[in-house]
Amino acid sequence: MEESLVPLGFRFSPSDEEILGSFLHPFLVESKPFMSLYNNFIHACNLFGNNTEPSEIWQKYGGPQLVDTDLYFISKLNKLTSKRMDRRIGNGGTWSETESSKLVHEKVSGNPNPNPIGRKRKFRYENKSSEDHTGWLLDEYSLFDGPKNDYNQRNYDFDFVICRMRKNDRVGIKATNLKRGSQDKEEKKMTTNKKMKKDDQRGSTESSSQQGCSSSPIGGDLVGFDPIDLTIFEENTMADMEQLLGEAWSPSNFENVVSHDVDPIGETQSSQLSNWSQAILNQLLVGV
């Protein structure tokens, strides 16, 4: 089995000054190729004018297998003029600059004001018709060919740059939060539906219970006994029943019952009372 050239625990994470001074400067000015070790980390791929989506490039060059590191590329610029670049990529996408560029200074021991050696620009992939929209970030490092009188000029001195590509973590967090919010909303909806269903079942049970209860034809409960409870005929003698009936139909009790109703007792209700009373007497005779 061939041993890897990458030392155990090694992470390729160069600083801005190292990218320009230790990698891009030797490559462009001295025409020195990268050391074989670094060929595993800095890939040759044109990221401008490429019809491939950033996610496909990430997949092709082993991005999913990376741990705590990003992908680096040596890329040729697609120049329109000395200042304007064609940064299209993918199927209708583009690298859009997200903030002002910054100068990168050379690290020189004992020199508090070193000269700038290059420029760093930041981009974000934008393509509303693609799933990769805003999901990828790109840092572009361009080298100066020497000291300048005006560093505000945005000209490119060379045709090649080094780019660092990585995923946009903010997009991942936003997508996760949206998914979590959608799940919470769905769970809340299900809980509400269950509660409504339980309330409906409880209301139906109470309604059935109320429909099963019997009251007197004039809206009030008769005093002394429940007309539905026929066990009263088994537990009381004839004399007791006569006393109960006498109490139930006493004039004072009758007036109290009627007073609870909104309307006076009518002929229909009187007929119902007579029929009901006759039914009770018939039941008494059966029990004799």
Side-chain angles (χ1 to χ4, degrees):
M1 182 176 178
E2 183 178 355
E3 293 185 3
S4 173
L5 297 176
V6 181
L8 184 64
F10 176 81
R11 296 288 184 272
F12 187 70
S13 183
S15 64
D16 296 345
E17 296 80 6
E18 290 171 337
I19 289 175
L20 288 169
S22 301
F23 293 100
L24 196 55
H25 183 273
F27 181 82
L28 295 176
V29 177
E30 304 173 15
S31 299
K32 289 183 178 180
F34 299 136
M35 293 176 56
S36 57
L37 170 63
Y38 297 119
N39 286 332
N40 295 302
F41 303 102
I42 304 178
H43 311 280
C45 178
N46 292 333
L47 301 180
F48 310 106
N50 195 326
N51 293 328
T52 308
E53 291 287 302
S55 59
E56 296 173 338
I57 296 175
W58 180 264
Q59 184 75 27
K60 179 179 179 180
Y61 288 96
Q65 286 74 46
L66 296 178
V67 179
D68 298 331
T69 188
D70 305 316
L71 283 179
Y72 292 81
F73 300 94
I74 183 78
S75 177
K76 186 176 182 178
L77 293 169
N78 192 10
K79 290 185 176 182
L80 299 176
T81 67
S82 60
K83 294 182 179 180
R84 295 181 60 245
M85 305 293 144
D86 181 4
R87 302 191 186 280
R88 288 177 294 180
I89 184 175
N91 298 318
T94 186
W95 293 111
S96 179
E97 198 161 1
T98 58
E99 58 186 72
S100 300
S101 62
K102 77 167 189 176
L103 297 174
V104 180
H105 295 80
E106 183 182 13
K107 280 189 176 181
V108 179
S109 179
N111 184 358
N113 297 310
N115 291 325
I117 58 175
R119 191 182 300 275
K120 178 182 179 180
R121 296 174 172 86
K122 292 188 175 185
F123 300 89
R124 179 180 60 208
Y125 179 69
E126 294 188 355
N127 184 356
K128 292 183 178 181
S129 63
S130 170
E131 293 182 357
D132 284 3
H133 178 58
T134 71
W136 299 92
L137 302 176
L138 190 76
D139 296 339
E140 178 198 271
Y141 298 88
S142 58
L143 185 70
F144 295 150
D145 58 3
K148 298 182 178 298
N149 295 325
D150 185 6
Y151 286 102
N152 291 323
Q153 294 182 2
R154 298 174 61 85
N155 294 16
Y156 284 84
D157 295 337
F158 297 94
D159 293 337
F160 287 86
V161 293
I162 286 182
C163 297
R164 177 166 68 107
M165 191 174 81
R166 64 188 184 279
K167 290 183 177 181
N168 188 354
D169 293 335
R170 291 184 179 180
V171 173
I173 293 173
K174 182 179 180 181
T176 301
N177 290 338
L178 287 174
K179 183 177 180 180
R180 185 177 301 159
S182 177
Q183 291 175 342
D184 292 343
K185 187 180 294 184
E186 187 65 24
E187 289 177 0
K188 185 177 181 180
K189 182 178 179 181
M190 292 176 63
T191 301
T192 302
N193 290 340
K194 288 181 179 178
K195 185 177 183 301
M196 291 177 63
K197 186 176 180 181
K198 186 179 294 184
D199 291 343
D200 290 343
Q201 292 175 345
R202 184 181 303 160
S204 177
T205 302
E206 292 177 354
S207 176
S208 299
S209 175
Q210 291 174 357
Q211 292 175 2
C213 295
S214 177
S215 60
S216 68
I218 56 176
D221 294 333
L222 293 176
V223 179
F225 63 92
D226 183 354
I228 297 302
D229 187 7
L230 298 181
T231 59
I232 190 170
F233 299 110
E234 301 174 1
E235 298 174 353
N236 295 277
T237 64
M238 188 66 179
D240 293 334
M241 290 305 302
E242 290 177 351
Q243 182 181 355
L244 286 172
L245 285 172
E247 293 175 356
W249 297 108
S250 66
S252 60
N253 189 38
F254 185 81
E255 290 174 359
N256 291 335
V257 172
V258 173
S259 66
H260 287 84
D261 197 20
V262 176
D263 298 322
I265 186 167
E267 293 181 359
T268 301
Q269 292 175 325
S270 297
S271 176
Q272 291 174 344
L273 284 170
S274 297
N275 294 337
W276 185 65
S277 178
Q278 184 63 45
I280 294 176
L281 291 175
N282 291 339
Q283 185 65 38
L284 287 171
L285 293 174
V286 172
V288 174

